[in-house]
Each structure stands twice: as structure tokens, then as C-alpha cells.
Amino acid sequence: MTGTLTSEGRGQVLVLAEVIKAAPCVWTEIRTSPAARTRETAAIIGEQLSIPVIEDKRLGVDGDPSDLMPPTEPKGIIFVSHLPILSRMLRAWSNLF
């Protein structure tokens, strides 16, 4: 596996970018895992939304997203990561609210 998105995957990301763009939010940046496919996904979304993409090791497969919990991060950030990390983030966030 090369770690790149398939043409179908790129198409899905473009559709997702349109949905995100239509949301009533002001997006300021994208934070992405260092993994190739997440960086590629983030780059496509960032290009479509004209916002910067920042690689963040805390979003990697072995990352610790605990210090990304609100209210430490500003609003308007899109996170692109892996299912295990996102699951941990959602569990942690659910304990805050």
C-alpha cells in the first residue's frame, strides 16, 4: 500500500469538503495526523476551503490528543486523524460536557 488516497477516496473527500464548506461555521485551519492519507485528505479539504493545514503529531496513530480538548484549542479547527484517535477524542470530550 502506498499510503495515498484512491480516486474514489479523493472524490469522497471533495464531496466532504463541499459539505464542510456549506456548514454555517468559520473554519480557520486544519490539523492533521502525520500519516500520508490523512495529510492528503487534509490538503484537499484545505485547498477547497482556502485554509492552512498544520501537521500535528498528537493526531497520529500513537498520539495523545488529551491536550487538544476544549477549551484549550480555538474554535474553527477541523481535525483529520485516524479512527482510534478520534474515538479517544470523542470519549474525552463527552466527559467534559
Side-chain angles (χ1 to χ4, degrees), residues 7-74:
S7 59
E8 179 183 5
R10 283 188 291 280
Q12 291 171 343
V13 174
L14 287 169
V15 169
L16 176 61
E18 289 302 316
V19 171
I20 293 170
K21 191 186 293 188
C25 299
V26 177
W27 302 111
T28 58
E29 67 185 53
I30 298 175
R31 303 255 182 103
T32 184
S33 158
R37 283 183 293 195
T38 56
R39 285 193 333 260
E40 188 177 354
T41 298
I44 293 168
I45 296 170
E47 182 178 307
Q48 295 298 308
L49 276 60
S50 300
I51 58 175
V53 175
I54 300 166
E55 187 176 306
D56 192 327
K57 291 180 182 179
R58 296 172 293 182
L59 295 170
V61 174
D62 296 321
D64 180 9
S66 60
D67 64 339
L68 295 172
M69 299 299 112
T72 62
E73 296 298 313

